[in-house]
């Protein structure tokens, strides 16, 4: 996963400094924490698994990072997004169907700016979700993980 994360951040390096970041299905926070370490302005982490939320809060405290942690299912959070985001990471559990991922991202589109980048991870071989309002900009497979980068469809 470190190789995948390094490859991802190399491909979006110019977009991270100063960005307002949303990390969906944050887990222990590796994508959002990496974004902060590369100059992101702020991060909102969304996670509902208790153990993951605890690990995330511990990681943030250990690293001295101030961030917003939303203890909520992603599906509920995206219905009430009040902020605008420049960069979105979505690392859903792999059993989540591509159609469900597409639905989540479609609901999120109104909270995105014209220059927002959305990055999702999927298991290699899974369908690449088509999302109204977003255009696939890049798809890269790294072993068992595929990274899909979307930009706003203008």
């Amino acid at each position: 996963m470190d190789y995948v994360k390094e490859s991802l951040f190399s491909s979006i390096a110019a977009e991270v400094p100063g960005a307002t970041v949303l990390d969906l299905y944050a887990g222990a926070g590796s994508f959002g924490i990496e974004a902060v370490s590369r100059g992101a302005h702020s991060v909102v982490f969304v996670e509902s698994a208790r153990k993951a939320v605890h690990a995330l809060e511990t990681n943030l405290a250990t690293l001295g990072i101030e961030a917003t942690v939303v203890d909520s299912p992603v599906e509920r959070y995206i219905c009430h997004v009040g902020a605008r985001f420049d960069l979105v990471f979505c690392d859903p559990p792999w059993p989540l169907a591509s159609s469900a991922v597409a639905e989540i991202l479609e609901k999120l589109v109104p909270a995105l700016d014209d220059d927002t980048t959305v990055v999702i991870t999927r298991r290699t071989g899974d369908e690449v979700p088509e999302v109204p309002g977003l255009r696939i900009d890049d798809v890269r497979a790294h072993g068992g993980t595929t990274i899909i980068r979307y930009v706003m469809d203008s």
Side-chain angles (χ1 to χ4, degrees):
M1 193 58 166
D2 286 341
Y3 171 75
V4 171
K5 190 168 54 173
E6 184 61 36
S7 175
L8 165 62
F9 277 92
S10 292
S11 73
I12 62 169
E15 299 164 55
V16 177
T20 301
V21 177
L22 177 61
D23 189 349
L24 300 173
Y25 302 100
S30 68
F31 287 119
I33 290 171
E34 185 69 24
V36 169
S37 78
R38 292 175 183 246
H41 172 70
S42 63
V43 180
V44 173
F45 295 92
V46 181
E47 178 56 62
S48 62
R50 295 281 179 217
K51 286 183 180 181
V53 169
H54 178 71
L56 172 58
E57 290 172 338
T58 299
N59 289 342
L60 294 172
T62 300
L63 296 169
I65 296 173
E66 290 188 29
T68 302
V69 176
V70 179
D71 184 352
S72 169
V74 167
E75 298 77 6
R76 186 176 326 150
Y77 173 80
I78 60 170
C79 292
H80 306 287
V81 176
R84 307 289 287 177
F85 297 98
D86 305 307
L87 182 58
V88 177
F89 296 105
C90 183
D91 186 23
W94 283 352
L96 191 62
S98 291
S99 59
V101 174
E103 184 177 323
I104 288 164
L105 295 178
E106 185 176 354
K107 288 178 182 175
L108 186 63
V109 166
L112 306 179
D113 289 325
D114 290 343
D115 59 350
T116 298
T117 298
V118 177
V119 177
I120 69 168
T121 59
R122 300 296 292 153
R123 179 179 35 225
T124 297
D126 283 356
E127 178 183 343
V128 174
E130 294 287 334
V131 182
L134 296 175
R135 176 176 50 81
I136 297 171
D137 186 51
D138 190 41
V139 178
R140 295 181 189 203
H142 301 278
T145 301
T146 295
I147 299 172
I148 304 143
R149 187 174 64 218
Y150 298 87
V151 294
M152 294 300 289
D153 192 13
S154 44

